[in-house]
Amino acid sequence: MKEKLAKIKEEALRQIEDSDALEKLNEVRVNFLGKKGELTTVLKSMKDVAPEERPKVGQMVNELRDEIERVLEQAKSKMEEKAREAAMKREVIDVTLPAKRNLVGHRHPNRIVLDEVERIFIGMGYEVVEGPEVEYDYYNFEALNIPADHPAKDEQDTFYVTNDILLRTQTSPVQVRTMEKGKLPIRMIAPGRVFRSDEVDATHSPSFHQIEGMIVDKGITFADLKGTLAQFAKELFGEKTKVKFRPHHFPFTEPSAEVDVSCFKCGGEGCRFCKGSGWIEILGCGMVHPKVLKMSGIDPDVYSGFAFGIGLERITLLKYEIDDMRLLYENDIRFLKQF
Ligand code: DAH
């Protein structure tokens, strides 16, 4: 029996020695100490041992069991230690390696100008609102006093989605949507993307941006419109900027005007920028047509208002002396970086 146990011990230690993975160690544990393991088998065969020998043999078996356990544990610790070291070596971070440089983004020049325009009007108590880019014909034309047979409908080269749904050609439909809500007074600007079936060139794009503006309240006059836009122009282009209102026609305003500002490059002397005239056109505006108020449920005998529409790209191009509108849409980082 003693010999047998010595043999088991030798074999177990050899197998532990040979193990190169935790699973192998586990196998050794099962083979020798498990329910059907060699040591257990020895215990089961105790009945063949002389009764007076049994306690001694039992003690030997227990000692061997403890020893195998101990060696197994040792081997396991060693293995785990080795694995930890390997992992540390693998995961070493070289802190002297030069870091990757993060490119910092830039606000698009359109965004810079729009932020400035919003800041100015918010300062005057306006609210910034939005309307849908896919719009009903009703809001884009009909409710703005542009009936089906109106020439302005052709002029705007509309992208139609269905017979009565289109890509808005202007931000003016947001005027109607705001008035329909029925909350008065109104003091809002509505920036957004508009669409017209235009060929791309240095001054045209099928998609560009406008900023609509509108006030509706009791007692609003053309003088309010002039004062507001004069102040706006001063804040955007500089304190010395003058404004000029030229009579014009828009179906949804009466009277209507186009507004020029004194050239902010030459101060009105005349230069390449203003094509020698000293003036630069920046927007269309007017007093909201009584029919437009009425169609949106506002009584034109009680309320009046003014509205204006600014072409965002036009102002961006002027302000930054960019001579080709396409540059605004290509998003070339070398271009955008300059602003
Ligand atoms: N919606 C006009 C356009 O796209 C611009 C415009 C003119 C807007 C006069 C207005 C306005 O609100 O009063 O050409």
Side-chain angles (χ1 to χ4, degrees), residues 156 170 172 175 196 210 212 250 252-253 284-286 307-309:
Q156 297 206 347
Q170 48 187 357
S172 304
Q175 290 187 26
R196 289 182 198 182
Q210 290 186 335
E212 197 73 14
F250 297 105
F252 35 91
T253 44
C285 63
F308 54 88

Side-chain angles (χ1 to χ4, degrees), residues 252-320:
F252 35 91
T253 44
E254 180 59 35
S256 304
E258 275 186 338
V259 174
D260 299 343
V261 292
S262 53
C263 178
F264 42 86
K265 287 287 172 301
C266 66
E269 302 276 297
C271 65
R272 179 185 69 87
F273 225 69
C274 52
K275 301 201 177 80
S277 74
W279 294 96
I280 296 174
E281 182 215 318
I282 60 157
L283 58 84
C285 63
M287 300 305 291
V288 182
H289 199 295
K291 270 170 89 175
V292 171
L293 289 172
K294 213 186 225 154
M295 274 189 277
S296 290
I298 294 173
D299 184 350
D301 291 332
V302 182
Y303 287 94
S304 57
F306 65 72
F308 54 88
I310 305 169
L312 178 58
E313 277 80 356
R314 196 177 153 67
I315 297 203
T316 305
L317 296 181
L318 287 170
K319 214 173 148 77
Y320 293 112

